[in-house]
Amino acid sequence: MASQVFYRKWRPQTLAEIVGQEQVTQTLGNALKSGRVSHAYLFYGPRGTGKTSTGRILAKAVNCLSRSKSKPCNACDMCRAITEGRALDVIEIDAASNRGIDEIRDLREKVNYAPTQARHKVYIIDEVHMLTKEAANALLKTLEEPPPYVIFILATTEIHKVPPTILSRCQRFDFRRISQTDVVAKLTSICDAEGIKIEPEGLRLIARSATGSLRDAENLLEQLTTYYGTEVGLHQVQAILGITGDQRARELVRHIVNNDVSAGVSTINNVNSDGLDLRQFNREVVEYLRQLLLIKTGSEEAVDLTAEDIAELKELANKTSLAQILRAIKLFGQLEIGFDNYSTLPLELALVDCAQPLVEESKIPAATSPQYNPPPPVKEAPPSKKQAVKPMPKVEPPKAERIPTTPPELHSEIERLRLNWRQVIEQAPENVKRTPAVAILRSAGVKPVAIEDNTVVLAFRYPIHKERMETAENQQVVREIISNFLGHPCQVRCIHEPEDNHLVEAAKRIGAQVTSVEEK
């Protein structure tokens, strides 16, 4: 007998063997016992959760020759014929490849013929949402009033695409993603029966990677045994799944929590130097941040880690705020590492953005506060040689590389560039939108500050951004973007201009004004 793939060999044969869908199997079992089987069912849920298997079990149960009402015997000729896919009266149709009106018209014609061997003719239509509008309309009448010997079982992964007219004619059952615990239990039983030795942590990694699909998990297990044999180590599971298993994902999260940009950049570049997949590394960073979020919000029971790992997460959670964790998840979770899998730039930009201080608005007096007494409006003068801040005269901004420019005239080129900077970046030509240069321009702390002799001066808050923008290919891209906006060729020069003192900025927001600049 030819060997079978795991997901077919270990396909459930009774409702009791369906994993993780008790709300479905119990209801169908009661319907079989009472003889109140519907003429049309709609099974909805993610792939690999048992929809088609349940449909076949139901077809066997209503046609089993043992006359058992609650479950098929799986021993009679009819049960074996359905299991082996040779029963003429159980018809499986893939609506993805048989979606037109001609196929449905053919189905409507054949529905009227009585079953040849079984008591009931069962139609299992998979991915029913793929039917064309005309085909779905042609199915409606037959679906609503089929002959008494016909049962329809429709399955779909996208319930929102199924016409409401079809939904209203079926009993709907929702299949859930299978829990990791249930997937691991099923994989363990398969390993015991097949003589496969694999570490429990390896099975948990497979279950996590399958994201609730038992069929995907069984396929991964078979792939591992095909490649490595019946003894599979944890590192081999990680290799097949593309998981780095590298502690540096956790190390990077610690640097994020500590706002240690230098150490974080070093970690990222070490990972890249070792040849690890940066996309997978980023996914592991996001997953660890998610677990940190769960610990921070008091949802420890949802974290599937060892006691030692949970203790480490709790220590990190005590050092950071919920806002910082959320910010890091958003920044790393939205990264696109597609244009160059070997570029560390997206990870570095996300790390630097994470280190930006969060503005605590609650510490800044509101305009409606009774203690708030803003000074009368004063027209700002051009920067002079002395700087004093009122009412905070002792606060001075850090020294920065300065550009000797005068305030821009109305509608000057630098003013147009400043006012439309976001638009300049977003309207970059399609061929450069996914380049490292555009990624740098989109990051916080990059702005045009002057135009000198047809050279646009760009100020960068962080030296790492300035250095990367000064490479020849990045310079070419940014020249093209800015020249397109200005309407004439131009050069670009990069300078480092540190972030303004946050105390000065806070003072400005409550009414203080810069009256002079003191240069040291």
Side-chain angles (χ1 to χ4, degrees), residues 154-168:
L154 314 181
T156 181
T157 55
E158 300 185 49
I159 194 71
H160 58 283
K161 293 183 179 179
V162 179
T165 48
I166 287 184
L167 288 174
S168 65

Side-chain angles (χ1 to χ4, degrees), residues 84 98 101 308 412 461 514 518:
E84 296 167 7
N98 298 277
I101 190 170
E308 293 80 4
S412 65
R461 186 181 301 168
V514 177
E518 179 176 337

Side-chain angles (χ1 to χ4, degrees), residues 60-338:
K60 286 193 292 186
V62 297
N63 287 311
C64 181
L65 300 180
S66 69
R67 302 288 180 177
S68 173
K69 288 186 176 181
S70 60
K71 62 180 181 180
C73 70
N74 288 311
C76 67
D77 291 342
M78 184 55 63
C79 283
R80 289 203 303 269
I82 296 174
T83 299
E84 296 167 7
R86 53 183 176 81
L88 299 178
D89 296 316
V90 177
I91 303 99
E92 294 192 31
I93 300 172
D94 179 14
S97 53
N98 298 277
R99 59 194 303 264
I101 190 170
D102 291 337
E103 288 86 350
I104 298 302
R105 283 173 176 167
D106 182 59
L107 180 151
R108 289 177 56 187
E109 181 180 346
K110 292 179 179 178
V111 158
N112 295 317
Y113 296 113
T116 57
Q117 297 173 318
R119 290 194 300 274
H120 293 275
K121 182 179 285 189
V122 181
Y123 286 88
I124 301 175
I125 305 179
D126 198 14
E127 300 299 345
V128 70
H129 66 273
M130 296 292 288
L131 291 177
T132 65
K133 181 179 179 181
E134 294 76 14
N137 290 335
L139 181 62
L140 285 177
K141 186 63 177 177
T142 304
L143 195 62
E144 184 174 21
E145 297 178 359
Y149 48 79
V150 172
I151 297 174
F152 282 101
I153 300 173
L154 314 181
T156 181
T157 55
E158 300 185 49
I159 194 71
H160 58 283
K161 293 183 179 179
V162 179
T165 48
I166 287 184
L167 288 174
S168 65
R169 288 162 170 80
C170 302
Q171 281 193 20
R172 170 177 164 175
F173 289 89
D174 289 359
F175 286 67
R176 301 176 298 204
R177 290 190 182 276
I178 304 173
S179 69
Q180 290 185 20
T181 302
D182 287 340
V183 173
V184 170
K186 179 65 174 179
L187 293 180
T188 301
S189 67
I190 294 175
C191 289
D192 291 342
E194 296 283 344
I196 300 170
K197 295 181 180 179
I198 184 171
E199 299 174 44
E201 180 60 28
L203 293 180
R204 284 195 288 271
L205 282 179
I206 294 173
R208 192 177 305 153
S209 178
T211 62
S213 170
L214 181 58
R215 183 172 66 235
D216 288 356
E218 291 169 340
N219 283 335
L220 286 170
L221 178 62
E222 183 172 27
Q223 184 180 354
L224 282 163
T225 57
T226 301
Y227 194 83
Y228 296 111
T230 56
E231 294 190 8
V232 183
L234 178 60
H235 67 284
Q236 293 169 329
V237 178
Q238 293 171 338
I240 285 289
L241 297 179
I243 296 174
T244 67
D246 201 300
Q247 289 295 319
R248 284 174 291 192
R250 302 183 179 192
E251 181 182 302
L252 181 59
V253 172
R254 285 196 294 273
H255 295 325
I256 293 171
V257 168
N258 296 328
N259 287 327
D260 193 340
V261 174
S262 177
V265 169
S266 177
T267 297
I268 292 169
N269 282 275
N270 286 338
V271 168
N272 188 51
S273 298
D274 289 347
L276 298 184
D277 186 334
L278 293 182
R279 286 171 295 189
Q280 179 59 35
F281 179 76
N282 182 59
R283 284 193 287 268
E284 293 173 32
V285 170
V286 173
E287 175 61 23
Y288 198 65
L289 284 168
R290 171 185 169 271
Q291 292 165 345
L292 181 61
L293 174 66
L294 293 174
I295 293 293
K296 187 68 177 180
T297 55
S299 304
E300 179 181 335
E301 67 282 353
V303 179
D304 183 21
L305 292 174
T306 64
E308 293 80 4
D309 291 335
I310 291 178
E312 181 182 353
L313 281 169
K314 286 182 176 179
E315 181 184 352
L316 282 177
N318 291 332
K319 295 180 179 179
T320 186
S321 65
L322 183 59
Q324 186 184 21
I325 299 173
L326 290 172
R327 185 180 188 184
I329 290 176
K330 290 177 182 177
L331 287 168
F332 283 89
Q334 296 172 358
L335 288 188
E336 294 183 4
I337 314 181

